[in-house]
Amino acid sequence: GAVVSQHPSWVICKSGTSVKIECRSLDFQATTMFWYRQFPKQSLMLMATSNEGSKATYEQGVEKDKFLINHASLTLSTLTVTSAHPEDSSFYICSAGENYEQYFGPGTRLTVT
Amino acid sequence: AQSVTQPDIHITVSEGASLELRCNYSYGATPYLFWYVQSPGQGLQLLLKYFSGDTLVQGIKGFEAEFKRSQSSFNLRKPSVHWSDAAEYFCAVVLSTDSWGKLQFGAGTQVVVTP
């Protein structure tokens, strides 16, 4: 099946700094990628839909200036958490879509101290 | 309102026993239906999906699901669970009219397997 990777798998950063998370589709080209946030023992919350070569579409309530998404190629999308604060600590998961199916990355655990 | 409901937040099952996880949806038209499994600290793995056709769908790891239009349900089953089946299970849908294929998830069901 299709493989999606994320890097890093975990990251600790200080409050006020920015963190970039990469999402790559390894064996297929993904026109569309999705970014989710998951709090402990909760479901996935869609943050934004990322389309190659165009601006991301953010879900209601997600700050687009705080969570910058760039989908520069058909295999790479990045999420940058700018000026991170402790409340941004979470598990971030990306997925890449193909024919109405989504393949998920392993997730990135972000801890902001 | 459009929604995906997993009524059971937590299920405990003995190893070797059967398992059934419930999923109901509320949409104007039949969406595309999925079941995903998530192990702790991991991403999601697709167990099975239903787009159309045969309403009994076979998936990986011995799981199957049955689509019942009259009940707006897509319940997941496994005849005999293994300790490795302990995980979080998510039912999800994609509206067939959504060209981007955005998934909408249920709240999830935590499955605990006892010896």
Side-chain angles (χ1 to χ4, degrees):
Chain A
V3 179
V4 176
S5 69
Q6 274 184 250
H7 178 79
S9 55
W10 60 269
V11 57
I12 301 172
C13 71
K14 293 187 181 296
S15 186
T17 61
S18 295
V19 174
K20 179 185 285 187
I21 302 170
E22 293 187 348
C23 177
R24 293 182 184 272
S25 57
L26 298 184
D27 50 4
F28 69 103
Q29 293 184 327
T31 306
T32 304
M33 289 184 172
F34 302 88
W35 286 95
Y36 298 85
R37 185 173 182 177
Q38 187 179 32
F39 292 104
K41 299 189 183 300
Q42 293 190 24
S43 189
L44 280 72
M45 181 191 77
L46 179 64
M47 299 174 65
T49 302
S50 168
N51 289 292
E52 187 267 338
S54 63
K55 291 184 178 180
T57 302
Y58 291 82
E59 295 298 302
Q60 193 171 10
V62 177
E63 299 177 62
K64 60 181 179 181
D65 294 331
K66 180 169 191 59
F67 299 100
L68 300 179
I69 292 172
N70 183 23
H71 194 154
S73 76
L74 288 172
T75 60
L76 173 64
S77 177
T78 60
L79 168 68
T80 301
V81 183
T82 63
S83 187
H85 288 96
E87 57 265 31
D88 298 323
S89 298
S90 191
F91 193 54
Y92 293 88
I93 305 175
C94 73
S95 71
E98 186 178 56
N99 298 324
Y100 288 101
E101 291 192 34
Q102 288 187 33
Y103 304 96
F104 286 81
T108 297
R109 173 76 58 193
L110 170 62
T111 301
V112 185
T113 61
Chain B
Q2 297 181 333
S3 65
V4 182
T5 303
Q6 293 181 245
D8 304 305
I9 297 174
H10 185 276
I11 285 181
T12 298
V13 60
S14 298
E15 191 168 14
S18 63
L19 174 68
E20 180 168 17
L21 304 181
R22 297 182 290 165
C23 174
N24 294 92
Y25 62 90
S26 174
Y27 293 88
T30 299
Y32 299 143
L33 300 157
F34 304 82
W35 275 100
Y36 287 89
V37 60
Q38 184 181 34
S39 298
Q42 300 295 315
L44 277 67
Q45 182 181 24
L46 178 66
L47 287 175
L48 45 77
K49 62 184 184 286
Y50 175 79
F51 285 5
S52 65
D54 192 346
T55 57
L56 186 61
V57 180
Q58 301 298 318
I60 62 171
K61 302 186 178 186
F63 285 93
E64 66 177 24
E66 185 171 14
F67 168 62
K68 293 186 177 179
R69 184 186 305 275
S70 62
Q71 298 178 19
S72 297
S73 69
F74 189 55
N75 294 348
L76 181 71
R77 298 192 294 255
K78 185 169 185 176
S80 176
V81 299
H82 187 262
W83 63 266
S84 60
D85 293 322
E88 186 86 18
Y89 291 79
F90 293 98
C91 179
V93 308
V94 170
L95 295 179
S96 58
T97 54
D98 183 342
S99 58
W100 284 347
K102 290 195 296 184
L103 278 167
Q104 301 185 37
F105 284 91
T109 298
Q110 179 73 45
V111 173
V112 174
V113 180
T114 60

